[in-house]
Amino acid sequence: MDHGLWTMDLGEMFMKYIVIVPVVAFFVFAQVWGLFFAPADQLMGFVQKLMYVHVPAAWTSFIAFFVVFISSLLYLLRKKIFWDHLASAGAEVGVVFTALTLSLGSIWGRPTWGVWWTWDARLTTTAILLFLYAGYIIFRAFIEDRDQRAKLSSPLGILIFLNVPIVYLSVKWWRTLHQVQSNPSTMDPQMALSLRLNAFAFLFVLILFIYYRFRLNQLKEKIEEKQSLPPKGKDHRPWTMDHGPSVGGAI
Amino acid sequence: MLFYDPTTYFIDEDDWPMGQRTGGGVNFLHCLFAVCHKDLLSELRKREIVNNILFFSVLIIFIFSFAMGTDPLLLKRLAPGLLWIVVLFSAVLSLERSFQAEAEEGCLDRLVLYTVSHRAVFLGKMVTNFLFIVMVQVIVLFMMMILFDLDWFQNPLLLAAVIFFGDLGIATLGTFYSALITKTRARQVMLPLLLFPMLIPLLLASVCVTQAALEGDVFGQSRPWLILLLLYDTIFFAASLMVSGPLMEA
């Protein structure tokens, strides 16, 4: 536990002006670039611009879930609560980005495919991912003890991630409609550039989000620790023997 | 005694060398069978699965038939899906109790503190759950054959294979999740919420293979699904065994 570093004004100011402002500025820049500088699609027209948010959101949500997997694994190996905080932060942010992916894809699908939703492999897999990780978050919310929560949710984080490729394969065999990914050689270079810009913008936003959720978890932990420790100084309770402050502090 | 006498091996005295007690292969199997035996005996006396859950699963078949209309051909076509829906719902009911009786009486902590492998305890529970699920499924299948006029003799080997591997997958993940939720509040909602999304690949594969087994599989389309099912079972069997130690200790 680093006492004081993030409670200092210097740390806050660093986060605010050196990190957040550039990230937000870059995000806005990438969005503007995608909206106004990249050419519109030949067939889809302006609707295609949704790709610049839909695809990066999908990519970043996968990164977030990978973070959950890795930190769950590391928690099982190292038993440091640090990794549990990271897994929790990754799952929360990943669920947000997955929900964003699904809703943006739905908005894009209505004018392009003619339906809001279809039982395509990638759509269905993404929806199942949302269910799986939302379940993970709900599961965490129902355990009070933090050590127990960490110990129980780390196997869950690993098993859920193992299921993702199997879900994708099975739903793909079941039925498929989603178009095959374009690659840079089939796209206008301007489009590829916009997509890349937006992908990096989303990646920075993802890191920032995960960092903030992670920090929130650590601060909560600090509060819990302070509440469970006895007050500093001499123990004035008459019924305790003079052994100094009692261990644990809870009466 | 049902089929195995655990008192012979499940001893508390210090007459066994430590190595044999903790890491011995013999002890592992003994522990597995003892847990399994205890659960089966308890079930034989309480008859929870047989009385409640079997009745519940047969009831779902009727409810489903009422909801879907009277067309016998339609019902016959929907039968493979219905079979696995019934099994999933009844499995959740029986899995939820799997660790519950022990957790309530504080017996689970003793079981974990005992100098036997946690994997053996986990596997014992899994074997029991597997037996329960297979039993429910066979009876439900029998009922559906009568009610929906299914012809099981089309491909009985494939049908047996899909029941075995499908139920093995449900039992593996189901035992994992039921161990997981014993420590949480709101268990009854939590188990299906966590388990059903995980079982989607298994459900897809099992329904497709069952359909092939019941309606005939001329082009061998069920083969990749069966392989997927095997893969699924292997991956999650290995993974849940690997994490069962930390899971039981938590």
Side-chain angles (χ1 to χ4, degrees):
Chain A
M1 275 286 165
D2 49 346
H3 288 287
L5 180 61
W6 295 114
T7 52
M8 273 162 66
D9 284 342
L10 200 64
E12 290 290 337
M13 274 166 64
F14 173 77
M15 276 311 289
K16 213 175 240 171
Y17 298 111
I18 314 285
V19 179
I20 298 180
V21 170
V23 166
V24 172
F26 183 63
F27 188 80
V28 171
F29 165 72
Q31 288 291 306
V32 169
W33 187 277
L35 278 175
F36 300 114
F37 290 92
D41 188 82
Q42 200 177 3
L43 298 172
M44 290 183 259
F46 210 69
V47 179
Q48 178 266 336
K49 302 283 184 190
L50 266 169
M51 179 184 83
Y52 301 132
V53 269
H54 172 72
V55 176
W59 286 347
T60 39
S61 67
F62 273 115
I63 295 175
F65 294 146
F66 192 63
V67 167
V68 177
F69 173 64
I70 294 293
S71 30
S72 296
L73 207 62
L74 282 168
Y75 179 80
L76 268 190
L77 296 175
R78 302 271 164 82
K79 303 281 179 209
K80 288 276 193 302
I81 200 77
F82 174 92
W83 297 114
D84 185 58
H85 290 329
L86 195 58
S88 159
E92 280 165 357
V93 179
V95 163
V96 170
F97 276 92
T98 312
L100 191 70
T101 308
L102 278 178
S103 37
L104 289 172
S106 198
I107 294 168
W108 177 85
R110 177 68 187 163
T112 314
W113 291 338
V115 284
W116 291 109
W117 178 261
T118 169
W119 297 100
D120 156 73
R122 237 177 280 178
L123 266 72
T124 315
T125 308
T126 316
I128 296 168
L129 262 181
L130 187 66
F131 286 131
L132 285 168
Y133 282 94
Y136 175 85
I137 293 173
I138 296 168
F139 174 74
R140 291 183 63 94
F142 275 92
I143 310 173
E144 275 106 16
D145 184 54
R146 72 180 175 96
D147 285 330
Q148 210 167 43
R149 185 167 55 218
K151 275 180 195 161
L152 287 175
S153 53
S154 55
L156 191 58
I158 294 169
L159 252 73
I160 288 176
F161 192 80
L162 289 181
N163 205 10
V164 174
I166 309 176
V167 168
Y168 181 68
L169 188 67
S170 66
V171 183
K172 193 177 173 184
W173 287 352
W174 190 47
R175 57 176 65 187
T176 283
L177 172 73
H178 198 291
Q179 61 209 99
V180 186
Q181 302 100 304
S182 311
N183 58 30
S185 62
T186 63
M187 262 198 284
D188 188 294
Q190 271 296 324
M191 279 186 186
L193 177 67
S194 302
L195 188 60
R196 281 189 188 134
L197 276 179
N198 274 292
F200 276 107
F202 265 75
L203 183 65
F204 294 145
V205 170
L206 175 89
I207 293 170
L208 204 65
F209 277 9
I210 290 184
Y211 171 73
Y212 265 98
R213 296 304 295 187
F214 172 74
R215 197 185 145 212
L216 188 68
N217 286 336
Q218 287 212 318
L219 289 176
K220 272 186 197 162
E221 163 112 6
K222 219 178 217 174
I223 291 172
E224 262 178 43
E225 258 177 21
K226 280 211 171 130
Q227 282 173 345
S228 65
L229 283 176
K232 277 178 186 169
K234 199 174 181 320
D235 193 352
H236 291 295
R237 287 169 297 173
W239 57 85
T240 54
M241 290 167 72
D242 200 10
H243 290 151
S246 60
V247 181
I251 308 167
Chain B
M1 281 302 144
L2 207 56
F3 61 91
Y4 175 82
D5 183 7
T7 49
T8 339
Y9 304 101
F10 223 48
I11 36 176
D12 223 356
E13 284 112 47
D14 259 350
D15 52 359
W16 279 22
M18 271 320 266
Q20 205 177 344
R21 293 175 119 228
T22 51
V26 180
N27 206 4
F28 188 91
L29 277 184
H30 288 165
C31 174
L32 196 159
F33 281 127
V35 170
C36 192
H37 169 266
K38 186 218 54 130
D39 278 355
L40 287 178
L41 197 66
S42 144
E43 172 52 33
L44 204 66
R45 293 186 180 152
K46 280 193 290 187
R47 296 231 168 77
E48 268 183 345
I49 311 270
V50 178
N51 286 350
N52 306 336
I53 292 166
L54 216 53
F55 180 72
F56 171 76
S57 48
V58 174
L59 191 66
I60 298 182
I61 303 176
F62 274 87
I63 296 288
F64 188 84
S65 314
F66 294 146
M68 288 298 137
T70 47
D71 184 7
L73 277 177
L74 178 71
L75 284 178
K76 203 172 171 178
R77 252 185 51 216
L78 295 176
L82 175 59
L83 174 70
W84 287 95
I85 288 179
V86 173
V87 167
L88 275 193
F89 279 112
S90 52
V92 162
L93 284 185
S94 67
L95 285 167
E96 195 223 318
R97 298 165 200 217
S98 173
F99 281 90
Q100 210 41 50
E102 276 125 336
E104 274 166 11
E105 304 293 331
C107 173
L108 196 60
D109 298 334
R110 303 279 168 84
L111 215 55
V112 171
L113 285 175
Y114 215 73
T115 55
V116 289
S117 168
H118 295 158
R119 277 178 198 152
V121 177
F122 186 84
L123 268 178
K125 285 281 178 192
M126 205 178 89
V127 170
T128 328
N129 286 332
F130 175 69
L131 291 177
F132 287 159
I133 296 169
V134 166
M135 187 188 74
V136 169
Q137 177 150 34
V138 167
I139 292 172
V140 166
L141 186 65
F142 182 71
M143 285 295 294
M144 283 175 76
M145 272 172 212
I146 295 169
L147 291 170
F148 297 161
D149 188 29
L150 306 175
D151 24 343
W152 64 275
F153 41 81
Q154 184 87 242
N155 201 340
L157 209 64
L158 193 61
L159 199 60
V162 70
I163 287 178
F164 181 82
F165 290 116
D167 289 358
L168 188 67
I170 297 177
T172 310
L173 275 177
T175 312
F176 171 80
Y177 278 103
S178 70
L180 206 65
I181 58 154
T182 43
K183 308 286 188 341
T184 63
R185 294 175 283 127
R187 275 168 229 109
Q188 287 167 338
V189 196
M190 200 61 82
L191 186 57
L193 193 75
L194 296 174
L195 185 61
F196 283 170
M198 282 298 269
L199 288 179
I200 285 171
L202 183 136
L203 185 70
L204 285 176
S206 306
V207 169
C208 286
V209 180
T210 312
Q211 201 160 22
L214 290 175
E215 292 169 6
D217 184 20
V218 189
F219 302 107
Q221 281 171 323
S222 65
R223 182 167 289 252
W225 285 113
L226 207 58
I227 293 170
L228 182 79
L229 200 58
L230 260 167
L231 197 75
Y232 182 92
D233 283 359
T234 318
I235 289 175
F236 285 111
F237 189 78
S240 54
L241 269 191
M242 266 179 216
V243 295
S244 64
L247 184 67
M248 304 279 283
E249 283 158 28

